[in-house]
Amino acid sequence: MEENFDYTLRTDLALEAQEMNVKDEPGSSDGDGVEVHENEKNDIKITYVTVDEAGAERIGKKAGHYVTLESLAIRKQDHQLQVNLSKTLSGQLRKLMNECGIKEMDRGLIVGLGNANVTPDALGPLVTEEVYVTTHLFELHPETVSDGYRPVSAFTPGVMGVTGIETSDMVHGIIEQTKPDFVLVIDALASRSINRINATIQLSDTGIHPGSGVGNKRKEISRETYGIPVISIGVPTVVDAVTITSDAIDYVLKHFGREWREKDRPSNALSPAMNPFERKTLTAEDHPNEEQSKAVMGMFGQLEEAEKKQLIKEVLTPLGHNLMVTPKEVDSFIQDMAHVIAKGINGALHPGIEDGEAQSYFK
């Protein structure tokens, strides 16, 4: 049943800003309520987007801070890159907490959204299994707690299709009983692009709508709902057939565009038509012009991105073919990503954790 899935389509505003050709030099702004900063360190690209009230009204997104970490650490299963990604996540989460006014000893509640029985949706539950839970120690054995740790609780509410209870109501009940100072929500997302699957970590202080990625939008989990800061961490783990089809067509056009541009290069005479060991990177510069696109795809090649996706959706949805798809390596990817996120959260919430200790938990 569709309701057993709890993916969240939280559009990646940081990457959207790049796609809308917003200047992304440090300190730049599109001039109307949206400010973009970008930097790169240790093969991790970090994009910050700040939206004020004017920008929120113009682009239809909530005002707040959006951070995206782009890395192939999980896809490459690179140990050192995963360690670097975890450290970077920890630093960015700590910075976002400061922006929200969260103090060093404020009580935290970690909520792992998702269905533990559905692998690509199990990210939240898996993260909650690895985070440091300390509230009970502060209450029952405070003498055992070292400096540099804060009270942290965690729970996994499941999904409405399994429990029959609104996720937001469960979170609200826990908040009413335990009185945390802030909430940290982890969830799997449905992606708008196939190249973002398991390759980005998205942070925001604007809240989250569980289940909206598959048209199953539940009540909002946000500061407006509970009256305390809510920080969300999301990772795209699935993509729908509409997006796959649209992206595949786009890659075909870029392939032809590059072939047209490079067809007269002497080096091409020595290259096989298809080299299975060659890794290509197609960019926006490779996209053919309107006339070339029409020559390859006819009328379809002239459609704008939104029009193209809408047409594909109108064709696939009534047929029941707009499937949700995830990589075949999803089991390993989800385990590794949960590990990275849990260690990043532990480092951000508990400054007393030694750097060596945090790294020792990596495989």
Side-chain angles (χ1 to χ4, degrees):
M1 292 177 60
E2 183 179 76
E3 290 183 351
N4 285 345
F5 293 81
D6 199 17
Y7 308 118
T8 300
L9 182 60
R10 180 162 58 84
T11 303
D12 186 352
L13 190 58
L15 292 171
E16 267 195 2
Q18 298 170 22
E19 293 168 355
M20 293 186 296
N21 296 319
V22 176
K23 294 180 180 179
D24 50 21
E25 292 298 324
S28 69
S29 172
D30 73 348
D32 198 4
V34 181
E35 186 174 355
V36 182
H37 300 261
E38 181 181 298
N39 63 50
E40 185 168 347
K41 184 178 181 181
N42 295 326
D43 293 322
I44 301 169
K45 187 176 181 181
I46 310 171
T47 307
Y48 311 87
V49 178
T50 303
V51 181
D52 62 20
E53 294 299 334
E57 184 176 351
R58 184 174 64 85
I59 67 176
K61 306 296 179 186
K62 293 181 67 174
H65 301 87
Y66 301 80
V67 183
T68 296
L69 310 181
E70 297 179 62
S71 172
L72 294 177
I74 302 301
R75 286 189 183 181
K76 291 182 176 181
Q77 297 185 305
D78 186 312
H79 164 79
Q80 187 55 52
L81 209 52
Q82 289 181 18
V83 171
N84 293 342
L85 180 58
S86 180
K87 289 181 178 179
T88 303
L89 172 62
S90 183
Q92 295 305 317
L93 179 54
R94 197 177 298 118
K95 183 185 297 185
L96 196 55
M97 290 169 63
N98 290 335
E99 295 275 1
C100 294
I102 298 173
K103 302 180 180 63
E104 186 174 330
M105 288 304 295
D106 281 353
R107 296 165 60 95
L109 173 64
I110 299 174
V111 181
L113 298 179
N115 189 339
N117 297 315
V118 179
T119 304
D121 196 32
L123 180 67
L126 288 174
V127 170
T128 59
E129 291 179 3
E130 296 193 51
V131 294
Y132 287 174
V133 175
T134 57
T135 299
H136 60 299
L137 298 177
F138 277 90
E139 294 179 354
L140 302 176
H141 304 286
E143 72 281 357
T144 66
V145 183
S146 302
D147 292 337
Y149 290 80
R150 76 170 74 227
V152 172
S153 305
F155 90 111
T156 303
V159 293
M160 190 175 183
V162 174
T163 66
I165 305 173
E166 183 70 59
T167 301
S168 180
D169 291 342
M170 296 178 70
V171 176
H172 185 264
I174 295 292
I175 290 174
E176 285 295 306
Q177 291 297 317
T178 63
K179 307 296 183 185
D181 298 302
F182 67 95
V183 177
L184 185 59
V185 183
I186 302 97
D187 199 9
L189 313 179
S191 180
R192 293 178 59 254
S193 172
I194 57 178
N195 62 9
R196 297 176 193 170
I197 299 295
N198 298 302
T200 67
I201 300 176
Q202 303 168 21
L203 297 86
S204 174
D205 60 3
T206 60
I208 200 167
H209 282 95
S212 60
V214 291
N216 189 26
K217 192 172 180 179
R218 308 255 57 89
K219 289 182 181 178
E220 181 177 88
I221 298 175
S222 68
R223 185 169 196 154
E224 290 76 13
T225 305
Y226 306 127
I228 58 176
V230 175
I231 296 176
S232 59
I233 299 178
V235 176
T237 62
V238 296
V239 65
D240 64 3
V242 168
T243 300
I244 294 174
T245 306
S246 177
D247 284 0
I249 292 171
D250 190 54
Y251 285 134
V252 169
L253 286 172
K254 289 177 180 178
H255 170 76
F256 278 113
R258 174 175 287 190
E259 291 296 312
W260 269 315
R261 195 176 72 248
E262 299 181 350
K263 60 184 174 63
D264 295 326
R265 286 188 178 182
S267 59
N268 286 346
L270 303 175
S271 301
M274 179 178 177
N275 183 354
F277 301 103
E278 181 184 9
R279 298 289 296 180
K280 284 187 176 180
T281 301
L282 297 173
T283 66
E285 296 178 355
D286 295 316
H287 204 287
N289 58 39
E290 185 175 335
E291 183 179 344
Q292 292 171 327
S293 296
K294 184 177 180 181
V296 177
M297 294 288 182
M299 181 184 70
F300 195 85
Q302 296 179 290
L303 296 178
E304 296 292 332
E305 184 68 21
E307 296 174 328
K308 183 171 58 177
K309 286 190 174 183
Q310 182 60 34
L311 176 58
I312 297 171
K313 183 178 181 179
E314 290 175 1
V315 172
L316 293 183
T317 302
L319 298 173
H321 295 334
N322 189 19
L323 308 176
M324 280 289 171
V325 183
T326 193
K328 64 180 183 297
E329 306 92 347
V330 63
D331 298 83
S332 175
F333 287 168
I334 289 294
Q335 290 286 345
D336 288 351
M337 185 62 80
H339 206 68
V340 166
I341 291 177
K343 301 316 165 192
I345 291 174
N346 288 336
L349 298 187
H350 307 291
I353 296 177
E354 295 292 334
D355 185 57
E357 178 185 359
Q359 289 195 44
S360 69
Y361 283 87
F362 280 92
K363 295 180 292 182

